[in-house]
Amino acid sequence: FKDVGKEWDWARFSIEKMYAKGIVKGYPGGWFKPRNSVTHLEAIIMALRIMGWEGEIDRNAKLPEYITKLKLPWKDAYYYLNLAVEKGIVKLEELKNFRPNESAKRYEVAKYVVRAIGREDEAKQHMNEKLSFKDAKAIPDDAVGYVYVMVELGLMKGYPGHVFQPNKAISRAEMAVIINSLDELLKEDGEKESVFVVVLVDRDDMTITVSKEGRTTTYDLEEDIPVYINGKYGDIEKISSGDEVELIFNEEGKVVFIQVISKKITTTAKGIV
């Protein structure tokens, strides 16, 4: 993205990866607008996508009146919100004052995420928790448990000065980091579905040949594909045979994101052995 430069190094990996997975979207012209606030509707849609529920939307289904009477910005929004209610991400009582285009506050996003991952009961058990943030009193009473769970899971952190700023709007960059962390959390132990061993990278033809379970396959690479090595932005030239990589594909089966998980370590010795 044109506007995700060095100052966004702390979020760049998350932005690129979640964009490649289709969880967050960009704007026409190659812009991401990392400083922009995430709206309530956007936060809910991202939660549905990262949980893999977006495909459950039935655009032919009859929507309930409590959804149709709302004023939402676009037609599909009604179906997303209806699914969010069905999944328990949004409560029926919250629809009364639901403002889809209003910036979502940090404590509100905490609620959406905790509900999405099925940890609401745990949150309710910690509603009286004494959080250590200096501004803990600013967290609404009915949100304390949600914030506690998010912090315990490492999905949210405080700001310098040990403050949480619960009423601060979440930026698109911050949301990308939260969603990426959640993506890692949701992966089952030992999940290797998109992990391969590199056989060859052809920079001229823009292809990568990889092996998995004894089977070798060659895939096309997207132009200007993002490459990350140990979480740092890297170059396709630094990918070597034997490296273990995670690949993300688009709908056409082309590789749009490469993460080098481990580098093959080689030792060269010259002389008489």
Side-chain angles (χ1 to χ4, degrees):
F1 291 104
K2 295 177 182 177
D3 52 353
V4 182
K6 271 195 167 295
E7 65 177 304
W8 300 101
D9 277 355
W10 59 274
R12 188 174 180 177
F13 171 75
S14 298
I15 291 171
E16 297 266 20
K17 189 170 184 180
M18 291 302 98
Y19 174 73
K21 283 199 162 192
I23 308 300
V24 300
K25 305 292 184 180
Y27 292 89
W31 304 98
F32 184 73
K33 302 185 181 180
R35 285 192 177 84
N36 281 20
S37 299
V38 172
T39 67
H40 285 276
L41 188 57
E42 288 171 336
I44 289 166
I45 291 173
M46 287 182 203
L48 288 170
R49 285 175 180 157
I50 200 65
M51 295 303 297
W53 293 333
E54 188 175 23
E56 296 182 28
I57 291 176
D58 182 3
R59 291 173 175 79
N60 296 315
K62 185 178 179 181
L63 294 170
E65 186 181 352
Y66 58 76
I67 294 292
T68 57
K69 70 179 182 181
L70 298 173
K71 289 184 179 180
L72 301 183
W74 36 284
K75 185 179 177 180
D76 269 8
Y78 290 90
Y79 295 98
Y80 278 106
L81 185 57
N82 184 54
L83 183 60
V85 172
E86 290 178 358
K87 295 295 185 181
I89 295 175
V90 179
K91 302 296 183 182
L92 281 176
E93 59 269 22
E94 293 171 344
L95 294 179
K96 184 183 292 186
N97 297 310
F98 187 71
R99 296 180 177 84
N101 297 319
E102 189 175 276
S103 298
K105 298 174 182 177
R106 280 167 58 78
Y107 81 85
E108 291 171 327
V109 168
K111 284 186 175 183
Y112 295 148
V113 172
V114 170
R115 289 169 181 168
I117 60 178
R119 299 268 194 143
E120 188 169 33
D121 287 343
E122 184 181 341
K124 288 178 179 178
Q125 293 171 9
H126 292 278
M127 285 299 180
N128 297 317
E129 199 74 34
K130 300 296 181 184
L131 301 178
S132 61
F133 297 107
K134 290 180 180 178
D135 56 351
K137 290 184 178 179
I139 301 172
D141 291 342
D142 65 348
V144 172
Y146 296 99
V147 172
Y148 171 86
V149 173
M150 290 291 281
V151 173
E152 283 295 298
L153 293 175
L155 298 176
M156 275 186 167
K157 297 178 181 178
Y159 291 96
H162 200 56
V163 293
F164 186 75
Q165 297 190 26
N167 294 299
K168 182 178 182 290
I170 283 203
S171 69
R172 283 169 54 79
E174 289 174 320
M175 191 68 186
V177 171
I178 290 172
I179 292 296
N180 182 59
S181 297
L182 178 56
D183 185 47
E184 292 298 319
L185 182 69
L186 293 172
K187 284 183 180 177
E188 295 180 8
D189 292 338
E191 182 180 309
K192 296 288 182 182
E193 148 181 337
S194 56
V195 175
F196 305 84
V197 175
V198 176
V199 175
L200 176 70
V201 178
D202 191 322
R203 282 81 176 176
D204 297 323
D205 290 341
M206 284 301 286
T207 60
I208 184 169
T209 302
V210 293
S211 67
K212 181 177 180 179
E213 298 175 352
R215 182 182 175 185
T216 301
T217 312
T218 299
Y219 298 104
D220 290 329
L221 299 174
E222 188 71 51
E223 292 292 332
D224 301 320
I225 184 171
V227 175
Y228 282 83
I229 302 171
N230 297 324
K232 301 288 185 181
Y233 191 69
D235 192 285
I236 198 169
E237 300 286 339
K238 294 183 179 178
I239 300 177
S240 308
S241 173
D243 289 349
E244 194 174 60
V245 296
E246 179 181 357
L247 306 179
I248 296 178
F249 304 87
N250 62 14
E251 292 178 355
E252 289 75 41
K254 186 177 282 191
V255 181
V256 294
F257 186 92
I258 300 176
Q259 179 182 359
V260 178
I261 297 173
S262 65
K263 294 287 292 176
K264 181 181 180 182
I265 299 173
T266 59
T267 302
T268 303
K270 185 177 181 180
I272 298 172
V273 180

